[in-house]
Amino acid sequence: MNDYSKLIFEKSFVNGEWINESDSKFEVINPFDLSVIGQVYNDDRLLVKKAIDVAHSAFKTWKKTSVKERSILMMKWYDLIVQNKIEIATIMTLESGKPFAESLGEIDYGANYIQWFAEEAKRNYGDVIPGFTSEKRIMVLKEPVGVVGAITPWNFPIAMITRKIAPALAVGCTVVIRPSEETPLTALAINYLAHEAGFPKGVINTVVGTNASEMGKELCENLKVSKISFTGSTTVGKILMQQCSDSLKKLSLELGGNAPFIVFEDADLDLAVKGAISGKFRFSGQTCVCVNRILVQENVYDAFVEKFTAAAKNLKLGNGLDSETQIGPLINQKAIDRMQEMIQDATSKGGEIKLGGNFVTPQFFEPTIIANANSEMLFAKNEIFGPIAPIFKFKTEEEAIEMANDTIYGLASYFYTKDLNRTWRVREALEYGIVGINDGLISSEMVPFGGVKQSGQGREGSKYGMDYYLDLKYICIGNVE
Ligand code: ADP
């Protein structure tokens, strides 16, 4: 195996140094075999506060650096991540169970945000507005908001960090990252590479620890933090919003989803099956844009179920480090319990298991297909976040749209059709931030990622991504003679 150990660090990184305030440690577990792959100092609120102080003071100089200076540093960081891709992917697979090819893909995806915003930073234009009286001159400037707190989940250990901090750094903000306790090692490795790239002390800080709620409180309540950017569950998003209300802190939230995947009778069924396989089973279904409910029109229902089951049968379970593996382990026991509860619930309400349905020791779950799904079942309303694919039947386009929108979530949605008029009608009717038409893979640094309803607020990536880390300052020059 490659020498990934050179990028293993087991302490928080604050002010350009590895640091621990706490003496206790927590274990980072490989979900494939439950072995311990790291012992990380378990820091808490105190160190978060220290990191915020440091980031606050670094902001005073970082915001004054030229955009070219920041862009060059970001490009160096991008290069280092790409150069160390194999090592970082190994660490990522070890701590998350993600199949290695997917880890490599995520590193490109995550690094691309850095590259994109390094370029985009140069186009952070303001405006000149005509004076509203003849002697006035008016400008609008864009300024960095200040210190940004980034709270991130385990399912994309790099990309969820870079998607937040790349635009923040590009416009001149400094950051304090609190990564998931499940995947702290990948986060620390990329913070180290940022340091190697030459980012000044205090600009990028990562604090690791298991006390998510207290660490989150410090980030939300500390007046030196101007903005929180969070990716995770809707439940935690709501807590953070409440905690930020006292200081009216800016907030970007990328929360849960319940993605419908609609297959109309005129769809190319093979294409739809291919899309459903990747959209459902990527990272064992553990992403917020993963397909949650497959809705199939009645006259192609049986054919779709048959083809989809045949394709899913071939998915190979195993160690993420094994190049053949397509389905790795689930992240933790809680995830296994949720799968079992959902399957029990579905079968007790008439669901028919077409494939899988079983837990595999120590922490796998078989790709599972459930036909005859209905709106009473748990996954109709809840995010699955695992390899269960429930298939619902519908009669008309109107019914499909109603079913698709019948959720509190509004992140990703997908539909398959060859009818041009239908593509427009359905796209307009879907209450989602993202609509994939005849396509199951929709993420890129070049597009605005985010949801409506209780899937969150704000967008990440694209030309819009920097706006969420900027304040507008309107300048009025009067009495010009
Ligand atoms: P997931 O089920 O994907 O882990 P969570 O919303 O529980 O979703 O977690 C996303 C991130 O938020 C993780 O890093 C987790 O540790 C963190 N987290 C969980 N609870 C809180 C909280 N009360 N305050 C701040 N962060 C939290």
Side-chain angles (χ1 to χ4, degrees):
M1 206 184 298
N2 62 76
D3 184 19
Y4 67 88
S5 62
K6 67 177 187 197
L7 288 179
I8 295 270
F9 304 99
E10 297 175 312
K11 287 183 181 191
S12 296
F13 192 82
V14 175
N15 207 20
E17 287 172 1
W18 300 110
I19 177 169
N20 63 298
E21 297 256 301
S22 146
D23 288 331
S24 69
K25 292 184 176 179
F26 67 99
E27 292 176 340
V28 184
I29 305 290
N30 180 348
F32 165 65
D33 57 5
L34 309 186
S35 61
V36 176
I37 52 170
Q39 305 258 7
V40 178
Y41 279 96
N42 194 358
D43 264 293
D44 208 329
R45 189 163 184 161
L46 237 153
L47 192 55
V48 174
K49 183 171 183 308
K50 192 166 189 169
I52 294 170
D53 286 340
V54 161
H56 192 253
S57 114
F59 177 62
K60 295 188 181 86
T61 44
W62 179 246
K63 70 176 177 187
K64 290 190 181 148
T65 53
S66 75
V67 75
K68 274 209 161 185
E69 218 173 304
R70 295 197 294 272
S71 177
I72 287 167
L73 278 177
M74 289 177 72
M75 288 309 287
K76 279 193 191 155
W77 187 26
Y78 167 84
D79 287 341
L80 284 177
I81 291 178
V82 173
Q83 280 163 24
N84 288 279
K85 188 167 160 165
I86 301 287
E87 291 80 2
I88 309 172
T90 306
I91 296 173
M92 191 188 291
T93 292
L94 285 172
E95 64 181 353
S96 71
K98 185 172 285 202
F100 193 65
E102 290 189 36
S103 292
L104 284 175
E106 187 193 329
I107 289 166
D108 283 337
Y109 173 53
N112 285 346
Y113 281 100
I114 301 173
Q115 185 190 48
W116 171 267
F117 285 109
E119 294 160 348
E120 203 59 18
K122 298 174 199 160
R123 288 177 276 278
N124 184 21
Y125 305 131
D127 272 317
V128 177
I129 294 178
F132 50 88
T133 62
S134 63
E135 42 62 60
K136 288 191 197 296
R137 303 291 181 272
I138 294 170
M139 280 179 292
V140 180
L141 306 181
K142 292 182 178 176
E143 297 186 340
V145 293
V147 176
V148 172
I151 303 177
T152 58
W154 49 265
N155 63 339
F156 286 92
I158 280 195
M160 295 304 105
I161 294 177
T162 55
R163 197 153 93 167
K164 300 177 181 328
I165 74 168
L169 295 166
V171 301
C173 296
T174 55
V175 300
V176 176
I177 305 157
R178 193 276 165 189
S180 167
E181 62 276 25
E182 311 270 10
T183 54
L185 300 177
T186 310
L188 291 169
I190 62 161
N191 199 151
Y192 168 74
L193 293 177
H195 180 67
E196 288 290 288
F199 277 90
K201 288 179 178 180
V203 170
I204 309 177
N205 307 278
T206 303
V207 185
V208 288
T210 55
N211 196 352
S213 59
E214 280 302 303
M215 296 168 90
K217 254 189 210 156
E218 186 62 40
L219 286 168
C220 292
E221 291 171 3
N222 193 312
L223 296 179
K224 288 182 179 168
V225 177
S226 300
K227 154 111 197 182
I228 297 290
S229 182
F230 170 72
T231 297
S233 62
T234 295
T235 308
V236 173
K238 288 179 184 178
I239 295 174
L240 299 182
M241 195 174 218
Q242 277 168 357
Q243 287 174 180
C244 285
S245 69
D246 208 35
S247 58
L248 289 178
K249 201 155 286 174
K250 293 180 201 318
L251 203 52
S252 284
L253 298 171
E254 204 271 275
L255 308 176
N258 185 346
F261 183 100
I262 311 171
V263 182
F264 288 103
E265 59 193 359
D266 54 44
D268 175 334
L269 277 197
D270 293 323
L271 194 67
V273 166
K274 199 165 151 232
I277 291 283
S278 62
K280 175 67 249 183
F281 296 112
R282 189 158 50 109
F283 195 22
S284 307
Q286 300 176 112
T287 88
C288 51
V289 293
C290 270
V291 172
N292 213 72
R293 292 169 292 152
I294 301 178
L295 318 179
V296 184
Q297 200 150 14
E298 60 181 355
N299 43 354
V300 291
Y301 187 89
D302 291 341
F304 178 86
V305 171
E306 193 183 315
K307 279 172 184 271
F308 183 56
T309 307
K313 242 183 212 151
N314 298 326
L315 292 168
K316 193 173 174 305
L317 250 75
N319 185 352
L321 289 178
D322 180 346
S323 62
E324 307 266 281
T325 295
Q326 291 161 299
I327 301 279
L330 297 194
I331 191 70
N332 52 32
Q333 185 58 41
K334 226 170 75 189
I336 299 279
D337 295 345
R338 194 175 58 248
M339 295 311 109
Q340 287 180 320
E341 186 193 355
M342 284 191 168
I343 286 179
Q344 211 169 23
D345 168 77
T347 48
S348 74
K349 292 171 182 165
E352 190 188 331
I353 297 184
K354 291 283 184 186
L355 182 72
N358 300 305
F359 156 72
V360 180
T361 185
Q363 210 162 267
F364 289 85
F365 209 86
E366 291 174 342
T368 297
I369 295 175
I370 299 185
N372 295 333
N374 67 50
S375 61
E376 298 304 309
M377 296 174 183
L378 279 175
F379 37 58
K381 297 276 183 286
N382 298 284
E383 194 170 22
I384 299 171
F385 233 69
I388 300 177
I391 312 185
F392 300 70
K393 195 181 280 182
F394 69 87
K395 286 193 172 68
T396 63
E397 184 180 303
E398 292 70 31
E399 189 189 359
I401 290 166
E402 201 172 306
M403 287 164 78
N405 288 340
D406 184 20
T407 164
I408 57 164
Y409 296 109
L411 187 57
S413 57
Y414 309 88
F415 68 93
Y416 280 68
T417 178
K418 284 195 233 156
D419 181 330
L420 184 61
N421 290 323
R422 176 173 272 161
T423 61
W424 283 98
R425 282 196 307 270
V426 177
R427 163 187 84 64
E428 286 165 7
L430 287 172
E431 297 163 355
Y432 287 84
I434 302 168
V435 182
I437 305 175
N438 296 331
D439 199 356
L441 293 173
I442 36 74
S443 295
S444 156
E445 77 283 4
M446 293 166 66
V447 301
F449 190 100
V452 299
K453 293 160 79 175
Q454 293 188 32
S455 285
Q457 52 189 40
R459 293 292 181 273
E460 295 185 317
S462 82
K463 68 169 184 173
Y464 306 104
M466 287 190 312
D467 293 348
Y468 298 92
Y469 299 92
L470 289 165
D471 279 326
L472 293 183
K473 186 178 276 176
Y474 147 53
I475 314 282
C476 179
I477 308 167
N479 298 298
V480 176
E481 291 180 1

